[in-house]
Amino acid sequence: MIRAGLALIRALIWAWVLFNVGMVVWVLLNSLKSSREIFDNPAGLPAIWMWENFATAWSDSGLGAAAINSVVLTLVSVVLIMALSIPAAYAVARLGGRSSGPVATFFAVGMSIPFQAFAVPMVLIGAGLSRFMIDWVTGVWDTRITVTLFYVVLSLPFSIFVLIGYFRSLPGDVEEAAALDGASPFRTFLQIMVPLAKPGITTVAVLNALSLWNETVIVLMLVPDQSAQTLNVALLNFYSNMQYTSNWGGLFAGVVIVVLPMIATYLWFGRRIVSGMTQGIGK
């Protein structure tokens, strides 16, 4: 009975995988068709491979500028997240006494708060920060900086929680040996513990990059300027203009531009992500 249940679950998982692979292939094929051919032959190969759909999506819909915004926001945010979460997680993991468990639980609780609870406060804080910076500090303010700050703050609980488990899995004997050799705590952390935790750090960095690349709602709420918006928002704007252009091939090409980089990233780091999550959360 148990084997039959496991076989059924395995079959359902593979069916779900095949469905998703089929959807990706379908989107790729339709991104190379004309709008008329998409409706006449939605499941077949393109009669004429229209690579110009990608050029149209990249230039005419503003996806080119939006791609730069997405890359910059994602890279800067991930760097800041890792720069803050790695030392914080290491400090909590090596915190003695009874404090380590409650502090780790505090970050786990931060992961459980729904995003909807932050929506209104984020808009108010973002507007207040912009007014303060413009009126009292710089005279100008880029809302993409506000988005980056919220990206970092909202990603820290997950990042620190996972890295705490990973640092806990590392043997303390290594630190004791480094101390006997005369290494300072900072040098031990930077030159020994961080390289040992590289699989977990890679996992957290990639998962944050995937999440931030696909994020849409925060940019919609905080960035009114279309020239500063990210790929996902630009794709939504492109879709809203479809009633005037009916360029379905360009729309599918835009979907490919948004989705394909993250699929490639996950396929490249997939094994490391699973290994790092299993070892980190399991401790």
Side-chain angles (χ1 to χ4, degrees):
M1 186 67 179
I2 295 178
R3 291 183 178 180
L6 292 175
L8 178 60
I9 293 173
R10 190 179 297 111
L12 291 174
I13 291 174
W14 276 109
W16 178 248
V17 170
L18 292 175
F19 172 76
N20 283 277
V21 171
M23 289 299 298
V24 172
V25 173
W26 180 73
V27 171
L28 285 171
L29 290 177
N30 282 295
S31 68
L32 298 170
K33 298 177 182 179
S34 64
S35 298
R36 182 179 183 83
E37 188 179 1
I38 289 174
F39 289 97
D40 292 341
N41 184 24
L45 293 173
I48 300 177
W49 298 73
M50 301 186 62
W51 297 99
E52 59 268 24
N53 287 340
F54 288 91
T56 300
W58 186 262
S59 58
D60 296 350
S61 64
L63 290 185
I68 297 175
N69 292 330
S70 290
V71 170
V72 172
L73 281 174
T74 301
L75 287 179
V76 172
S77 299
V78 170
V79 169
L80 292 175
I81 291 165
M82 302 313 297
L84 294 173
S85 62
I86 292 172
Y90 177 72
V92 175
R94 292 298 184 256
L95 192 63
R98 300 180 179 179
S99 302
S100 179
V103 173
T105 304
F106 173 78
F107 289 107
V109 171
M111 296 167 52
S112 66
I113 301 175
F115 174 79
Q116 292 80 356
F118 297 112
V120 175
M122 284 173 56
V123 173
L124 296 176
I125 293 172
L129 178 62
S130 297
R131 285 197 302 268
F132 174 77
M133 296 300 295
I134 293 173
D135 294 341
W136 298 97
V137 183
T138 60
V140 294
W141 185 249
D142 194 330
T143 51
R144 287 171 291 191
I145 301 176
T146 306
V147 172
T148 302
L149 294 176
F150 281 119
Y151 279 177
V152 173
V153 170
L154 295 175
S155 301
L156 281 177
F158 166 78
S159 304
I160 294 175
F161 180 75
V162 174
L163 289 176
I164 286 173
Y166 208 91
F167 277 118
R168 282 177 176 171
S169 70
L170 300 178
D173 297 341
V174 177
E175 296 164 287
E176 295 176 1
L180 291 175
D181 289 339
S184 64
F186 178 76
R187 184 180 179 185
T188 301
F189 162 70
L190 195 62
Q191 296 185 357
I192 298 177
M193 303 308 293
V194 170
L196 287 176
K198 185 178 178 181
I201 293 172
T202 302
T203 297
V204 173
V206 172
L207 289 177
N208 277 310
L210 291 171
S211 175
L212 298 180
W213 180 271
N214 294 322
E215 200 285 320
T216 305
V217 178
I218 295 178
V219 178
L220 278 174
M221 292 191 305
L222 301 179
V223 183
D225 184 6
Q226 289 191 1
S227 63
Q229 292 176 341
T230 56
L231 268 175
N232 297 287
V233 180
L235 187 62
L236 286 176
N237 294 332
F238 188 26
Y239 174 74
S240 66
N241 293 329
M242 286 293 296
Q243 56 182 321
Y244 306 109
T245 62
S246 297
N247 185 8
W248 290 98
L251 180 63
F252 277 104
V255 173
V256 172
I257 292 173
V258 173
V259 172
L260 202 58
M262 290 300 101
I263 293 178
T265 301
Y266 191 84
L267 290 176
W268 183 264
F269 292 100
R271 187 182 298 271
R272 297 180 184 179
I273 292 173
V274 174
S275 174
M277 287 292 292
T278 302
Q279 186 170 356
I281 294 179
K283 295 292 179 178

